[in-house]
Amino acid sequence: DLVIEAIVEDLTIKRKVLRSLEERSGPNTIIATNTSALSIDDMSTALERPENFIGIHFFNPVHKMKLVEIVVGNQTSDETVARAVKFVQKISKLPIVVKDSPGFVVNRILMPYLIEAVKEYENGADPVTVDKEMVKWGMPMGPFRLMDEIGIDVCLHVAKDLSDRLGFDIPASLDQMVKDKHLGKKTGQGFYKYKKGKTIKGKPKEASRSAKLRIIENLSSSMIYEATKVLKERVAENADDIDFAMIMGTGFAPFKGGPLNYKEQK
């Protein structure tokens, strides 16, 4: 009834695998992809029955994260969407239906926030200080800790894919860190250093209150700005869906109600 592909984020390889899956499946089988950024419509060109094709994007760690993005392509049928939503609910996850668009909702809004953090780093901001301030602001972990957990190489891959389609600049230091194999926690060195999986803690550098407030404003505004664009483009049905996705998918300061609700409060 349903097959989910969850292989490497390479469009050519995905197309081959998806075509093979379709050949081995029944005419009513849903073929789904767990891609975090690639276009559903681009992948569907490999298929004879694109109406049965959809994105079912889980978030890591899958056993803990409840949110699932149901990504609808131009040729995806209403029946396929309904069946995919029902499947996700049946496995006790929380679906949000989104349009096939670069980064969908969560990665689209989160990536500019991470990029803005790296720009602050290049301008001399201390990762420990920035992370501490963003946690105080309401995020579950700071942007640098998050990038180290995800993997700098993964962040760069998603950033490049979104940059190609949305046209924002990628800080040079991300490229350099990947070249130097400073990929985060998995290699023992990222924005932080690690020993046996544990952070070697450094003391935060002193920063003025005005500098801290400026960093918080820049980082939070990057998410609000992108969320506003996502709403305008109707990537999700409404502002509540976008706020819900950001709270459940990134832990965006729940008491602030999500980026669009927070924008209205400011």
Side-chain angles (χ1 to χ4, degrees), residues 20-256:
S20 175
L21 287 175
E22 187 181 56
E23 289 168 356
R24 297 158 187 255
S25 304
N28 297 315
T29 300
I30 292 176
I31 307 291
T33 175
N34 182 48
T35 185
S36 59
L38 297 179
S39 168
I40 303 301
D41 288 334
D42 286 350
M43 282 183 269
S44 72
T45 58
L47 302 174
E48 295 290 329
R49 297 183 292 276
E51 66 275 10
N52 292 349
F53 183 56
I54 199 165
I56 299 181
H57 176 217
F58 294 85
F59 290 85
N60 282 321
V62 175
H63 67 288
K64 289 185 178 180
M65 300 294 283
K66 288 283 190 180
L67 185 73
V68 175
E69 289 178 318
I70 304 290
V71 189
V72 181
N74 284 325
Q75 297 186 71
T76 307
S77 72
D78 291 343
E79 181 186 355
T80 297
V81 175
R83 288 171 63 197
V85 168
K86 191 174 181 180
F87 162 74
V88 169
Q89 290 172 332
K90 198 169 183 178
I91 61 171
S92 302
K93 299 291 186 183
L94 301 171
I96 172 178
V97 177
V98 302
K99 188 171 73 174
D100 183 24
S101 180
F104 315 135
V105 169
V106 174
N107 283 338
R108 164 82 179 268
I109 297 171
L110 183 66
M111 190 49 63
Y113 164 73
L114 300 180
I115 293 295
E116 189 63 34
V118 179
K119 287 179 180 177
E120 293 287 349
Y121 169 74
E122 289 185 345
N123 288 328
D126 173 42
V128 179
T129 301
V130 173
D131 280 355
K132 184 179 178 182
E133 292 304 313
M134 291 313 297
V135 169
K136 283 166 63 177
W137 186 78
M139 299 299 284
M141 68 173 67
F144 296 105
R145 174 80 63 195
L146 179 59
M147 285 185 277
D148 273 5
E149 291 286 342
I150 295 170
I152 309 301
D153 52 336
V154 176
C155 291
L156 181 62
H157 175 82
V158 175
K160 283 183 174 179
D161 181 71
L162 295 185
S163 175
D164 289 343
R165 294 191 276 167
L166 297 174
F168 58 77
D169 296 328
I170 299 174
S173 57
L174 274 184
D175 253 321
Q176 191 58 52
M177 288 176 77
V178 172
K179 287 175 184 174
D180 294 340
K181 306 295 183 187
H182 294 168
L183 307 183
K185 195 172 183 179
K186 60 189 174 186
T187 59
Q189 172 74 60
F191 290 102
Y192 293 87
K193 290 183 179 180
Y194 302 86
K195 188 173 183 180
K196 295 182 179 179
K198 293 185 178 180
T199 311
I200 300 173
K201 293 184 178 179
K203 290 184 179 179
K205 294 178 183 176
E206 285 300 316
S208 66
R209 177 169 170 75
S210 62
K212 291 175 182 177
L213 290 174
R214 181 189 58 77
I215 288 170
I216 291 170
E217 178 63 23
N218 286 350
L219 267 61
S220 60
S221 293
S222 67
M223 286 188 281
I224 293 166
Y225 175 72
E226 205 63 36
T228 303
K229 287 171 65 178
V230 166
L231 179 62
K232 187 177 180 181
E233 294 169 20
R234 297 299 295 271
V235 178
E237 188 63 30
N238 53 53
D240 286 345
D241 281 356
I242 293 168
D243 283 339
F244 172 77
M246 289 305 292
I247 291 169
M248 297 304 298
T250 72
F252 183 100
F255 58 89
K256 289 182 168 67

Side-chain angles (χ1 to χ4, degrees), residues 6-30:
I7 63 168
V8 63
E9 293 280 69
D10 182 296
L11 185 59
T12 302
I13 297 173
K14 280 189 184 289
R15 280 175 172 157
K16 289 178 181 177
V17 170
L18 291 167
R19 189 183 302 116
S20 175
L21 287 175
E22 187 181 56
E23 289 168 356
R24 297 158 187 255
S25 304
N28 297 315
T29 300
I30 292 176

